[in-house]
Amino acid sequence: MVAQQAVAARNGEASPSTYPKVRRIRFRFGEPTPMNRHFVEGNIPLTHLVAILSGAFPPGEESFIRSVRKFADQITDPVLKKRVAGFIGQESVHGQEHRHLNEKLIDMGFPLVRFFMFDHDSRRQRALMRIENMVPAKVHLAFTAAAEHYTATLAERLFLDEMQAIPGDPEVWNLLNWHAMEELEHKSVAFDVYRHVGRPEWIRIGVMGIMYVLTLPLVTVVVMVSIATDPRGWRPFKVLRQTYGIFRGPLVKGLMRDLRVYMKPGFHPDDVDTTALLDKWRKELFGTQGALVGHLK
């Protein structure tokens, strides 16, 4: 199946993978047990990393949706059209549920998360839209395709046993596991739209090259600023030790190597086979006795 998907993508056809399923779901953060301030138990930088990523997801995913919709009238493949609809549905629900977590994080005293919580008619939203409109549509779409590879790569790592063993708030872990699973389900949709509308390889590769160089340093700086706003996080030796552990741990170690494959000419996301991993986690989360069946609306 994976080989067929990759060949189809290289021939400019839509990938015949399963349509992303839109799951109406609701998480209840802080119920019945209140969330701890450092909800990744005792790990200050990892708590702030999760908080910053959660804050950035809603506006980011709305931007991804807009980038794909700009090409809606050029998508002629009916299979790809249905996959795009599933992608948009999943990303919309992701934004909704991360907003619920972000509201809780703001109440708990994570001020940088508030920066990302803006209304659709706010100045920040209008500024973001102006920036998007200044960027060529094909570059915006290439950015989305690259970001989806980034999140899919992180999703694979989240499912490693070493990551799942990290103690933390159970509902936050439920959210992250659900989000990661769906990122793997739709990881090639934006990429296939980019290929379908005939956009060049050099832009796709160049955009990822920029993200490859800038993303990790930028996120690191923002997390450090977030920690600086946390009076209970002013433990420099502990923070340095734990930050070193993140960079040497399963989430980040080897990440840049895994991201580099995207910049190979002819690469397709389905070249990275996550079929078995997806099957396992669909059963774990939404099988008959799945951990999140009771969260579905």
Side-chain angles (χ1 to χ4, degrees):
M1 172 65 86
V2 173
Q4 292 172 348
Q5 292 171 352
V7 170
R10 292 189 183 99
N11 290 336
E13 304 167 8
S15 172
S17 61
T18 304
Y19 303 128
K21 181 177 181 179
V22 182
R23 300 171 179 88
R24 303 300 174 185
I25 195 166
R26 184 62 187 265
F27 296 93
R28 295 171 177 82
F29 304 104
E31 299 178 16
T33 305
M35 286 177 61
N36 292 331
R37 167 69 179 189
H38 297 131
F39 50 86
V40 180
E41 298 297 344
N43 194 313
I44 297 168
L46 194 51
T47 292
H48 282 268
L49 174 61
V50 172
I52 291 300
L53 291 178
S54 182
F57 279 137
E61 286 166 337
E62 289 169 6
S63 180
F64 298 163
I65 290 170
R66 290 192 293 270
S67 75
V68 171
R69 279 180 169 158
K70 289 176 182 177
F71 294 90
D73 60 346
Q74 298 182 41
I75 301 173
T76 57
D77 186 317
V79 172
L80 185 55
K81 278 181 179 288
K82 290 185 70 173
R83 292 177 61 225
V84 166
F87 166 81
I88 290 173
Q90 285 190 339
E91 293 288 60
S92 296
V93 181
H94 293 175
Q96 169 187 294
E97 291 308 304
H98 276 282
R99 283 184 183 277
H100 293 150
L101 174 58
N102 295 344
E103 290 166 358
K104 183 68 176 177
L105 294 175
I106 291 169
D107 290 342
M108 290 169 60
F110 288 82
L112 286 194
V113 175
R114 186 184 297 277
F115 174 80
F116 299 102
M117 291 286 284
F118 45 81
D119 297 328
H120 290 281
D121 59 349
S122 68
R123 287 184 179 180
R124 278 172 285 175
Q125 175 69 13
R126 292 195 295 271
L128 177 60
M129 296 285 287
R130 281 196 295 271
I131 293 170
E132 288 180 6
N133 292 331
M134 290 169 59
V135 173
K138 59 188 175 184
V139 174
H140 190 191
L141 182 59
F143 174 81
T144 297
E148 289 297 316
H149 177 68
Y150 219 114
T151 53
T153 302
L154 289 173
E156 287 186 78
R157 288 166 170 266
L158 187 73
F159 287 143
L160 293 172
D161 291 342
E162 303 99 303
M163 289 297 299
Q164 292 293 313
I166 296 174
D169 183 85
E171 196 73 335
V172 173
W173 268 117
N174 285 336
L175 171 74
L176 295 177
N177 287 337
W178 158 76
H179 190 163
M181 188 199 77
E182 292 197 349
E183 287 298 324
L184 293 179
E185 285 185 331
H186 68 233
K187 67 178 183 177
S188 62
V189 174
F191 189 102
D192 284 344
V193 172
Y194 186 87
R195 285 277 179 87
H196 183 79
V197 298
R199 299 312 176 193
E201 280 281 87
W202 70 268
I203 292 178
R204 175 186 73 79
I205 294 171
V207 167
M208 175 53 102
I210 294 170
M211 289 183 62
Y212 181 86
V213 171
L214 295 181
T215 301
L216 193 57
L218 179 61
V219 171
T220 301
V221 169
V222 175
V223 169
M224 291 298 108
V225 172
S226 182
I227 292 172
T229 69
D230 177 6
R232 280 180 274 179
W234 294 349
R235 301 177 183 179
F237 293 110
K238 183 176 183 178
V239 168
L240 285 173
R241 175 172 51 80
Q242 291 178 337
T243 301
Y244 178 80
I246 293 173
F247 277 93
R248 297 302 300 167
L251 186 63
V252 177
K253 186 177 181 180
L255 175 64
M256 306 311 285
R257 177 199 62 223
D258 291 347
L259 293 172
R260 275 199 301 271
V261 301
Y262 186 94
M263 292 183 279
K264 292 171 59 178
F267 170 80
H268 187 273
D270 289 333
D271 291 342
V272 181
D273 187 358
T274 54
T275 306
L277 188 63
L278 257 177
D279 289 344
K280 173 187 174 183
W281 280 94
R282 283 195 190 110
K283 185 179 296 184
E284 290 269 349
L285 300 179
F286 297 105
T288 306
Q289 303 295 325
L292 299 185
V293 171
H295 287 63
L296 294 172
K297 292 196 281 186

